[in-house]
Amino acid sequence: MKIGITPFIAENIAPPNAKSLAIYNGDTKICNVDISRIQSGIGEKLYSFGAVSDIHLIKSGLTWNWYPIEKFDRALSYFQEKGCVMGIVSGDLTQCGYRWNNADDVDLTQMGTYKSVCDKYTFPVYELAGNHESYYNMFITNNLDLWEADTGKRDLSYTVTQGDDLFVFLGQPTAGTAIQDLQWLYETLEANRNRRCFVFIHPWLTNDSGNPLSAMDNNIFTMWQDNTGNRNLEAVFKNLLAHYKNTVLFHGHSHSKFENQAVDECANYTDKNGFKSIHIPSSSRPRDVDATGTASNSVTESQCCLVDVYDDYIVLNGLGLTGITSADIASKQYQPCPLGTFKINTPLVTVEANTFIDSTGTIK
């Protein structure tokens, strides 16, 4: 199998169980390198979790040509097969959430479809609201009651503990609000400053991972402002992550495929903003970006992340779940394909108490 992802970054490693690497000059194969006897020496794995984003489920019984329900089901099936302790959906669970003000989107069953898929599995699935769930505002009418009934979570922002690690989930209350409460995030990270924190949001950040060649539109962070019109909230968010060195950020929204590392080395992972930032591609419609910065959806593919967690690092396994025809789905025949593997060091760093300073006054 040829995996043509370039340029490599320092965090790229060979996929698990790989036996050889092929060296190419353009399209010309130069040689194979035998790596079957190389010992990784990576130590004992603590646990694994699976992550998807932008599944865009539609109502039960309606099949769209990108099979979002089947693809999500298949990802969870793969996570359970690999022994994951949890599955995570980083926003845009549905196409329109609980919105019913548009005649084309009259559908209150999409979240029910999401719940019915999750209920098939024995491990917990944690999710957060993305812009497609929050179009109609999660805090008006009975939307939050519906969210709680379908997910079992009353709060849009919440934490989960796994071993010594903390998982922080930050949902969107409205389509233009990146996260619900920066103050809550600050207090959570401060209280857990000397433990590893995996932070999940939906949108990408400006000049970060997940937006190769700046080809994607709808940057929610640039729309986000407080009730005084302050638009420095993205800078505050970035400063929080950079200060609390034990955080690792995961996000979705752009649908960007793992292969887009070929045109932008920061497509999947970067630490150039002072914190570790990982993009989770869409399980429903991964998006290509070519060398000119033109983006296009692929409805025949499905991508996800499987994350192996160790004491001082994580291994991010980017996977394609191939075989998208209706016959493949009906027979459940598919072969996971490694698309990119990254070893990201996460040694604990001591952060002194009460040392975060916010010059904007947003954090009290």
Side-chain angles (χ1 to χ4, degrees):
M1 181 179 297
K2 176 182 176 183
I3 304 173
I5 300 181
T6 57
F8 288 116
I9 60 176
E11 288 76 15
N12 280 127
I13 60 173
N17 304 314
K19 293 181 171 57
S20 66
L21 293 179
I23 309 300
Y24 283 80
N25 181 7
D27 291 330
T28 303
K29 184 176 179 180
I30 304 302
C31 66
N32 281 339
V33 179
D34 182 2
I35 61 172
S36 61
R37 291 174 293 178
I38 296 177
Q39 300 299 315
S40 62
I42 59 177
E44 182 178 356
K45 183 175 69 175
L46 301 177
Y47 61 90
S48 299
F49 66 88
V52 298
S53 189
D54 298 272
I55 56 182
H56 292 277
L57 296 187
I58 53 177
K59 68 181 179 180
S60 179
L62 178 62
T63 300
W64 287 4
N65 65 348
W66 57 81
Y67 301 100
I69 300 171
E70 292 83 356
K71 290 176 180 178
F72 178 47
D73 189 13
R74 187 174 54 195
L76 293 188
S77 177
Y78 180 75
F79 296 157
Q80 182 159 287
E81 175 188 329
K82 303 304 289 186
C84 292
V85 298
M86 68 180 80
I88 295 168
V89 185
S90 197
D92 282 5
L93 291 58
T94 62
Q95 187 64 11
C96 65
Y98 300 114
R99 183 175 62 174
W100 56 84
N101 63 324
N102 184 317
D104 294 330
D105 292 324
V106 177
D107 177 11
L108 297 182
T109 69
Q110 295 182 10
M111 284 298 300
T113 299
Y114 171 80
K115 182 178 187 300
S116 68
V117 177
C118 294
D119 285 349
K120 294 171 60 176
Y121 297 93
T122 57
F123 59 79
V125 180
Y126 300 105
E127 64 287 298
L128 55 90
N131 58 296
H132 276 255
E133 282 72 61
S134 59
Y135 277 135
Y136 205 53
N137 192 329
M138 294 297 289
F139 290 115
I140 64 173
T141 63
N142 62 339
N143 284 352
L144 203 57
D145 294 333
L146 294 169
W147 176 263
E148 182 178 18
D150 288 327
T151 68
K153 292 97 175 171
R154 183 66 183 181
D155 298 319
L156 296 182
S157 298
Y158 61 98
T159 63
V160 171
T161 297
Q162 175 65 42
D164 294 329
D165 301 323
L166 187 72
F167 286 71
V168 182
F169 300 94
L170 305 171
Q172 287 187 235
T174 72
T177 306
I179 67 172
Q180 181 181 353
D181 191 343
L182 271 171
Q183 184 69 29
W184 179 88
L185 176 60
Y186 159 70
E187 293 171 1
T188 299
L189 295 181
E190 174 66 25
N192 297 278
R193 62 189 179 277
N194 292 321
R195 71 191 295 192
R196 184 165 51 185
C197 296
F198 298 122
V199 176
F200 290 82
I201 62 173
H202 179 61
W204 75 81
L205 289 153
T206 304
N207 191 30
D208 196 61
S209 63
N211 190 8
L213 301 183
S214 300
M216 313 304 182
D217 55 12
N218 193 20
N219 185 339
I220 293 167
F221 271 99
T222 62
M223 296 184 276
W224 188 24
Q225 59 185 317
D226 64 17
N227 56 12
T228 68
N230 174 27
R231 290 186 178 271
N232 291 324
L233 300 182
E234 181 181 19
V236 178
F237 183 79
K238 284 184 172 181
N239 289 339
L240 276 170
L241 298 183
H243 180 79
Y244 293 101
K245 298 294 185 182
N246 298 310
T247 62
V248 181
L249 179 70
F250 292 80
H251 61 88
H253 187 51
S254 75
H255 295 217
S256 176
K257 292 171 58 174
F258 273 97
E259 292 92 330
N260 290 332
Q261 187 176 330
V263 297
D264 190 331
E265 67 175 10
C266 298
N268 303 313
Y269 170 77
T270 187
D271 59 4
K272 66 179 178 180
N273 289 310
F275 53 87
K276 301 170 178 65
S277 177
I278 295 167
H279 173 71
I280 305 170
S282 171
S283 72
S284 180
R285 289 187 296 172
R287 187 169 290 162
D288 286 298
V289 175
D290 66 21
T292 68
T294 301
S296 58
N297 289 318
S298 172
V299 299
T300 62
E301 298 180 71
S302 180
Q303 298 194 354
C304 65
C305 301
L306 190 146
V307 183
D308 296 322
V309 182
Y310 298 81
D311 280 328
D312 295 325
Y313 55 88
I314 62 174
V315 175
L316 173 70
N317 302 283
L319 298 166
L321 299 180
T322 58
I324 304 300
T325 67
S326 57
D328 290 331
I329 290 169
S331 62
K332 297 187 177 180
Q333 296 299 312
Y334 61 92
Q335 180 61 46
C337 171
L339 298 175
T341 311
F342 305 77
K343 181 183 177 185
I344 301 170
N345 294 325
T346 61
L348 290 181
V349 176
T350 299
V351 179
E352 296 298 328
N354 303 314
T355 53
F356 178 73
I357 298 174
D358 173 28
S359 60
T360 70
T362 304
I363 303 299
K364 308 302 181 184

